[in-house]
Amino acid sequence: MAPPERLARVRTFHPRRGRLSGRHLDALDRLWPRFGLTIPTGNTPGRHTPNVGAPARNTTDASAPGWSAPDKDAPGWSAPDEGAPGWSAPDKDAPGWSAPDKDAPGWSVPDEGAPIDLVALFGRRAPVVLEIGSGMGDATAAMAAADPGRDYLAVEVHTPGIANLLALTERHGLTNVRIARGDALDLVRYLLPPDALDAVHAFFPDPWPKPRHHKRRLIQPEHVALLRSRLVPGGTLHCATDWAEYAESMLQTLTADPGLVNPYADYALRPAHRPVTKFERRGTAAGRRIFDLIFHRR
């Protein structure tokens, strides 16, 4: 069932813009068809065929709509022409990207209750880790390289970050990384079945520090219940933040969820397997404490 309109309009992330280097453009052109996945937007449940619908890119404005897939020979891709048949006009009002045309070549018809086949997506059956907000991808690439027995599904909306993770995936020869572009909550609601994930990582999500923006925070009761439902029994929900007030809110919210258990007295010790991120270095430099919260599904 589609979520209430109220939830669909509330973003938990800031759409960002940035420049794409030549290396990033090359990574998008060559690697997105192999490793990329676009998440449907809005209230429409359904699935999107993997490797179709590359993230919008522009050498000046990474969020600019209006470009089509770069590889016209890739299965399911339209010609690299924004006016190519089958593509809808860019929607400037859509959060961070233009809405796709369900009739475009390569798109599956929206089908509620038809999740992604994770085995087909990664080409094997293995535990899957969902990385919410992978940023520039350095931490995701490092964890995937150190943890080859699990598959990593990274979700990001920032096109240069997506491109950088694609480049890192190739540089390090990683076969256990896939990148989804769009809203992580839409991915979890519509495309991931229950009991599908071994772990969910939400490292340094936007703290939305102003009280009037707290409703946009990722870690709040309805979102936690959704994420927990996609974990296998015993699966891990691992959050990290450098905002003390948000950490306290996270701890209260996660503790209140009846389906989660905290193996620690309150905050967890910083695990060695979590790489130091740019946001963590920035918080430490500013004198802020880093909080890790590690909960398991009952």
Side-chain angles (χ1 to χ4, degrees), residues 17-124:
R17 295 182 178 184
R19 293 179 181 274
L20 286 162
S21 67
R23 178 175 65 91
H24 288 159
L25 292 172
D26 176 68
L28 278 176
D29 287 350
R30 292 187 302 102
L31 303 176
W32 179 262
R34 291 171 53 197
F35 300 110
L37 168 70
T38 300
I39 303 166
T41 188
N43 280 349
T44 304
R47 66 172 183 263
H48 183 287
T49 304
N51 305 335
V52 179
R57 67 171 176 85
N58 183 282
T59 54
T60 302
D61 178 0
S63 299
W67 79 294
S68 59
D71 182 5
K72 66 181 179 180
D73 297 319
W77 286 71
S78 65
D81 174 4
E82 64 180 296
W87 285 86
S88 60
D91 179 6
K92 297 180 179 180
D93 295 325
W97 65 296
S98 60
D101 181 352
K102 67 180 182 181
D103 296 321
W107 287 82
S108 59
V109 177
D111 178 11
E112 187 170 2
I116 295 173
D117 183 341
L118 292 171
V119 174
L121 181 66
F122 286 96
R124 67 171 183 172

Side-chain angles (χ1 to χ4, degrees), residues 219-229 237 253-254 257 260:
I219 303 304
Q220 52 184 296
E222 61 265 36
H223 299 162
V224 169
L226 176 66
L227 295 173
R228 182 247 302 151
S229 73
L237 176 55
T253 299
L254 295 170
D257 189 292
L260 294 174

Side-chain angles (χ1 to χ4, degrees), residues 82-260:
E82 64 180 296
W87 285 86
S88 60
D91 179 6
K92 297 180 179 180
D93 295 325
W97 65 296
S98 60
D101 181 352
K102 67 180 182 181
D103 296 321
W107 287 82
S108 59
V109 177
D111 178 11
E112 187 170 2
I116 295 173
D117 183 341
L118 292 171
V119 174
L121 181 66
F122 286 96
R124 67 171 183 172
R125 188 177 301 277
V128 176
V129 179
L130 178 65
E131 289 280 325
I132 298 179
S134 52
M136 294 303 289
D138 301 89
T140 301
M143 286 186 290
D147 189 19
R150 295 196 295 178
D151 292 328
Y152 282 73
L153 177 56
V155 186
E156 182 54 60
V157 294
H158 186 48
T159 307
I162 293 170
N164 197 62
L165 180 52
L166 288 169
L168 290 171
T169 297
E170 180 179 56
R171 180 189 305 169
H172 298 293
L174 303 177
T175 59
N176 60 334
V177 175
R178 299 292 184 270
I179 303 102
R181 185 178 193 271
D183 191 325
L185 292 175
D186 280 345
L187 172 72
V188 176
R189 280 191 191 103
Y190 304 137
L191 302 185
L192 294 179
D195 306 332
L197 303 172
D198 192 61
V200 175
H201 294 167
F203 298 153
F204 303 92
D206 196 321
W208 294 101
K210 295 180 180 179
R212 70 176 183 271
H213 291 156
H214 285 182
K215 64 183 179 181
R216 297 183 179 275
R217 286 178 167 176
L218 175 66
I219 303 304
Q220 52 184 296
E222 61 265 36
H223 299 162
V224 169
L226 176 66
L227 295 173
R228 182 247 302 151
S229 73
R230 281 6 183 213
L231 289 170
V232 298
T236 302
L237 176 55
H238 183 181
C239 306
T241 184
D242 60 333
W243 285 84
E245 185 274 330
Y246 194 14
E248 182 178 353
S249 173
M250 285 182 176
L251 183 60
Q252 293 175 356
T253 299
L254 295 170
T255 301
D257 189 292
L260 294 174

